[in-house]
Amino acid sequence: MRNARKIALFPERYRAFSLNNFRDIPQMKHLSEEQKFDIEVVGNVLPFKANNFVVDELIDRENFQNDPIYTLTFPKKEMLLPEHFDEMANLLRRSADKTKIKIAANNIRMQLNPHPAGQIDHNVPHLHGEPLHNMQHKYKQTVLFFPSQGQTCHAYCTFCFRWPQFVGMSDLKFASREIEKLVDYLKVHPEISDVLFTGGDPLIMSAKNLAGYIEPLLKADLPNLKRIRIGTKALSYWPHRFVSDEDAQALLNLLGHVTKSGKQLAIMAHFNHPRELEPEIVGTAISALRKIGAEIRTQSPLLRHINDDPAVWSAMWNRQVDLGCIPYYMFMARDTGSRHYFSVPVVRAWEIFRQAYQQVSGLCRTVRGPSMSANLGKIQVLGEAAAGGEKVIVMRFLQGRDPDWVQRPFFAAWDDQATWIDELKPAFGEKQFFFEAEMENLYQERLDASTAEDFE
Ligand SMILES: *Cc1c(COP(=O)(O)O)cnc(C)c1O
Ligand code: SF4
């Protein structure tokens, strides 16, 4: 146990910390006034939310300023570019009025690539000519579903690419009767076998609200729907959700309905550091989920200052397998928000992945990575090779906008600084990667097929 205090009694009341009350956190007395001001400056641009479990059980009290979970949840000065930091700091020092601060914040946010990977324009599915704003259908078999009541989290990750929706800047529009629309969409798309509930964190919802989505989906008895996946970080940020919250048992019963109905329930659990797997209550929560028949798969981005070390990954995968989870993806940090602070070069990411992978048993090697979730698809970095007298980076698609792209190796010119696909150039002096011309055609088709309003 991290802080020597055994959580003998799991019941604990959730308490959120944000810019309004973070000064009440006892550990804050170790920070200088200037450091607390830094939190405010960054927190006025990027979202900030922690909670009592994260602060008391995950963050090391003694050494919290260098603690990976502290960096994962608390704003730091370096997370903004110096010019952005200074701009906001000056406004706060002058006690500028709220409107001015908000305009400046939005201005800075617009420079942080708030909508990476074509999130808004290109993935919105349509049914009978009507856009379905709380869904994304990019890969054939899997549709993402954003329940409107599940668009926040128990704490916010400082690297999160969903940050615009937490600062009220999202273009995410919610449809009424959203679950009926999902069911109708699944009926006319028999190729879809998986629905992935995502957010925010869908498990922020009460069991009652979540039932309003899950039960109609089960009741529709769709033969093509084989798996319900739920993307969540609750196992890390609020494991009480499955153990001692007032409706924890109701939640487990509801999730148990999924497996009882013959569908698979796949929890896509988000862990960034082995520390998050240490508290006893996390193991209790995982066991409770496994008892009702859930499979738990784990994923995380690779993040400088948090987990850019092979030993951290091998420890994390081992611990996950020990607890009965299945390692699934290592992602590259997205090209948005504080990317300058978190991103790791593609080549370095591959080295970290490879070294970690070499240290673990085959049961941990279900993990795939490092993978970039780009507009085009999920691109895996396979490593270094020599071809045609040139040193190249080998990559392949794990998922592609066009399924035909998947599993075809392709080559980029060697570049040990590039951190994202758009910084890499094709090898052998070629002008384009093989998929780029096809992508242009795809865009044009979609533009032609869509009403103009979707692209405003
Ligand atoms: C990652 C992702 C999925 C799920 O992909 P799997 O490889 O099946 O886990 C689905 N849709 C989008 C948009 C994704 O980014
Ligand atoms: S829990 Fe997930 S959605 Fe929420 S802030 Fe973290 S990464 Fe983003």
Side-chain angles (χ1 to χ4, degrees):
M1 191 63 31
R2 198 67 221 153
N3 293 315
R5 180 160 72 83
K6 225 172 155 60
I7 326 174
L9 292 167
F10 287 138
E12 190 166 3
R13 264 199 51 195
Y14 174 81
R15 184 172 178 216
F17 295 113
S18 65
L19 276 194
N20 304 324
N21 64 351
F22 77 96
R23 286 165 188 272
D24 302 344
I25 301 171
Q27 287 86 332
M28 285 295 137
K29 68 173 185 283
H30 302 299
L31 291 191
S32 66
E33 194 42 52
E34 193 185 333
Q35 286 170 314
K36 284 181 248 189
F37 179 69
D38 292 349
I39 291 179
E40 270 179 41
V41 174
V42 179
N44 265 285
V45 178
L46 297 168
F48 164 42
K49 188 205 272 185
N51 69 50
N52 48 326
F53 179 77
V54 171
V55 168
D56 294 339
E57 306 296 337
L58 294 182
I59 295 173
D60 184 347
R61 267 170 227 207
E62 307 304 317
N63 188 25
F64 70 96
Q65 291 181 68
N66 297 316
D67 184 276
I69 311 298
Y70 181 79
T71 306
L72 179 64
T73 47
F74 279 75
K76 287 188 165 175
K77 184 174 184 177
E78 299 75 23
M79 291 176 187
L80 285 183
L81 293 168
E83 65 268 28
H84 293 156
F85 183 90
D86 292 343
E87 185 186 342
M88 186 49 72
N90 287 336
L91 284 172
L92 293 183
R93 269 193 212 105
R94 280 196 275 122
S95 306
D97 71 57
K98 282 212 167 78
T99 325
K100 262 209 179 118
I101 291 174
K102 203 165 169 206
I103 291 170
N106 278 336
N107 203 4
I108 295 170
R109 289 165 184 159
M110 288 311 289
Q111 296 169 54
L112 302 176
N113 189 24
H115 305 298
Q119 293 289 346
I120 292 206
D121 292 352
H122 306 300
N123 304 322
V124 174
H126 287 71
L127 185 67
H128 313 310
E130 188 194 344
L132 303 171
H133 287 293
N134 51 350
M135 291 182 215
Q136 279 181 22
H137 188 195
K138 182 164 166 183
Y139 309 131
K140 205 170 154 202
Q141 298 86 355
T142 305
V143 65
L144 305 193
F145 179 65
F146 299 78
S148 57
Q149 290 155 303
Q151 298 310 308
T152 180
C153 309
H154 291 100
Y156 291 146
C157 309
T158 41
F159 64 81
C160 180
F161 73 95
R162 296 259 161 84
W163 63 270
Q165 77 193 51
F166 306 137
V167 294
M169 241 189 109
S170 170
D171 288 16
L172 209 62
K173 300 170 219 158
F174 289 105
S176 57
R177 297 173 33 248
E178 41 195 283
I179 194 66
E180 282 111 286
K181 286 179 185 169
L182 175 63
V183 168
D184 288 346
Y185 190 76
L186 291 170
K187 280 184 185 154
V188 299
H189 286 277
E191 75 277 17
I192 298 174
S193 55
D194 296 32
V195 168
L196 170 47
F197 282 75
T198 184
D201 192 328
L203 295 186
I204 197 86
M205 279 190 270
S206 66
K208 187 161 165 275
N209 285 344
L210 187 61
Y213 295 99
I214 301 275
E215 296 291 6
L217 197 52
L218 296 178
K219 207 160 149 237
D221 197 20
L222 303 162
N224 52 315
L225 180 65
K226 304 283 192 222
R227 301 155 206 136
I228 296 179
R229 308 198 207 175
I230 301 179
T232 182
K233 196 161 168 74
L235 279 170
S236 163
Y237 280 166
W238 193 250
H240 305 76
R241 189 72 202 88
F242 311 94
V243 179
S244 57
D245 272 5
E246 224 175 314
D247 66 346
Q249 194 53 51
L251 174 67
L252 292 170
N253 293 346
L254 169 68
L255 297 178
H257 289 173
V258 177
T259 50
K260 282 207 190 94
S261 75
K263 314 255 182 228
Q264 169 153 178
L265 175 67
I267 301 292
M268 312 306 289
H270 176 187
F271 292 105
N272 308 107
H273 195 279
R275 171 84 49 81
E276 296 165 274
L277 296 147
E278 278 177 33
E280 191 183 341
I281 188 171
V282 179
T284 309
I286 290 173
S287 300
L289 281 168
R290 305 237 308 134
K291 249 187 221 129
I292 55 119
E295 293 273 15
I296 304 169
R297 289 183 173 73
T298 58
Q299 53 194 30
S300 167
L302 171 62
L303 304 155
R304 196 152 56 92
H305 302 293
I306 291 180
N307 61 21
D308 57 337
D309 173 357
V312 167
W313 283 86
S314 56
M316 183 159 71
W317 295 333
N318 270 320
R319 185 78 189 127
Q320 288 167 352
V321 168
D322 292 346
L323 290 170
C325 305
I326 306 166
Y328 190 58
Y329 271 131
M330 175 204 268
F331 292 117
M332 299 286 300
R334 293 245 196 169
D335 54 339
T336 177
S338 296
R339 66 179 302 189
H340 66 277
Y341 184 76
F342 290 114
S343 66
V344 174
V346 166
V347 169
R348 178 70 193 132
W350 166 67
E351 285 168 0
I352 291 170
F353 181 86
R354 180 168 172 261
Q355 285 166 21
Y357 196 86
Q358 287 169 353
Q359 292 166 33
V360 294
S361 116
L363 293 188
C364 301
R365 295 187 187 189
T366 46
V367 66
R368 290 164 304 158
S371 168
M372 284 174 266
S373 289
N375 190 8
L376 311 157
K378 283 187 168 68
I379 301 175
Q380 183 184 22
V381 184
L382 290 172
E384 172 189 342
E390 193 180 326
K391 184 162 148 181
V392 298
I393 300 170
V394 188
M395 289 176 283
R396 68 173 173 187
F397 282 92
L398 295 169
Q399 291 281 8
R401 268 188 190 280
D402 182 342
D404 189 51
W405 298 347
V406 173
Q407 295 282 8
R408 273 156 62 175
F410 63 94
F411 308 94
W414 183 257
D415 183 338
D416 58 11
Q417 297 303 309
T419 60
W420 199 249
I421 182 72
D422 62 0
E423 293 167 8
L424 289 167
K425 301 218 160 41
F428 319 126
E430 283 166 14
K431 284 212 175 60
Q432 285 188 315
F433 288 114
F434 78 90
F435 47 83
E436 284 179 307
E438 293 179 39
M439 190 65 204
E440 281 162 20
N441 294 339
L442 255 174
Y443 266 141
Q444 200 51 50
E445 275 168 34
R446 277 178 197 234
L447 268 171
D448 294 345
S450 297
T451 56
E453 71 177 328
D454 294 333
F455 286 87
E456 270 167 13

